[in-house]
Amino acid sequence: MKKNIAIIMGGYSSEYEISLKSGQVVYKSLDKNKYNAYRIHIFKNKWVFVNDFNEEFEIDKNDFSVRVNETKINFDCVFNAIHGSPGEDGFMQGYFKLLNMPHTSCGMYQAALTFNKRDCLSTLKPYGIKTAESYFVNLGDHIDEEAIVNKVGLPCFVKANRAGSSFGITKVYRKEELLNALDVAFREDDEVIIESYLDGVEVSVGVITYKGKVTVLPITEIVSDNDFFDYKAKYLGESQEITPARIDDDLAEKVRNTAKKVYEVLKLKGFSRSEYIFKNGEPHLLEVNTVPGLTEASILPQQAAKSGISLSDLFENAIEEALK
């Protein structure tokens, strides 16, 4: 019997267009002889199954099923391709937990934790994971620009605390630019993290559970054509992503060990991609993504390809791991 796989995509955040692309790649890559794949669009105003003729059928949220021409379809597993909320922040994970439905991403708590940069970094620090100096601001707080600069220095990065894909991020060079940068970040989230600038090689490390084993994929070096790895660099081709990274074996071993430790300490499952910058020969963690981009051009699939793992292998393994 072929399994019915719901590929959820879209979402409620600025990242929905990228998510739709990721979900479409998963849909195209899955072996139709093994799986019945269904594209499920999740938006604030509708949850719908979209067939190959772009007809939409409403999802029954009571049991996450869909009725197509009087036939009720239940799903055996959910492939999560939603970047940002509600697919990467724990909401969908909690919903599927209540329904006792297998899904390809990490658990509810892990998703919520990793999506909150402040809480994730704070959790990992006691385990020896190095990070940039940081300062936190909530919407409505008094802004003490002097205290911020004294803590993190200049230049610094002002980031929305719970947003992905480089939305709501500004690199600040002068104290006078802080308030405007905070306004940009507060458009994405009511919590902001301000971090010191780390001047060093930036790398991205994919860690997945592959055939039952935690597996670190080849390291990617990020060379942005812009001032930093912003949205345009990440998605519009304004960067070089070099796999394997041009770093020596010692640095590579350190960041591989760190990425694996992060995955295991946080008890992650499925896909993860964590970002690091080397400072004084040590990898400093920037963030952890638990629903990374899954298009052909995305970093984690590129890394998998270097390991000899095809897109169909990568995605089908995620489903089989979830069904265990």
Side-chain angles (χ1 to χ4, degrees), residues 25-32 34-35 79 210-211 271 294 296 301 304-305 308-320:
V25 170
V26 175
Y27 177 71
K28 285 193 312 185
S29 302
L30 288 182
D31 185 345
K32 302 305 188 289
K34 291 184 188 174
Y35 306 104
F79 194 108
Y210 188 71
K211 299 188 186 301
F271 302 136
L294 298 172
E296 293 94 333
I309 302 171
S310 68
L311 282 176
S312 58
D313 284 345
L314 184 68
F315 301 149
E316 290 173 18
N317 174 77
I319 291 167
E320 296 308 320

Side-chain angles (χ1 to χ4, degrees), residues 5-9 20 23-28 36-42 47-57 59 75:
I5 309 300
I7 305 165
I8 59 172
M9 58 188 90
L20 291 175
Q24 182 63 23
V25 170
V26 175
Y27 177 71
K28 285 193 312 185
N36 298 314
Y38 296 83
R39 294 177 299 173
I40 310 296
H41 289 191
I42 305 286
W47 289 23
V48 291
F49 157 55
V50 182
N51 69 12
D52 288 338
F53 305 102
N54 285 323
E55 296 172 316
E56 296 184 352
F57 302 85
I59 294 293
F75 300 107

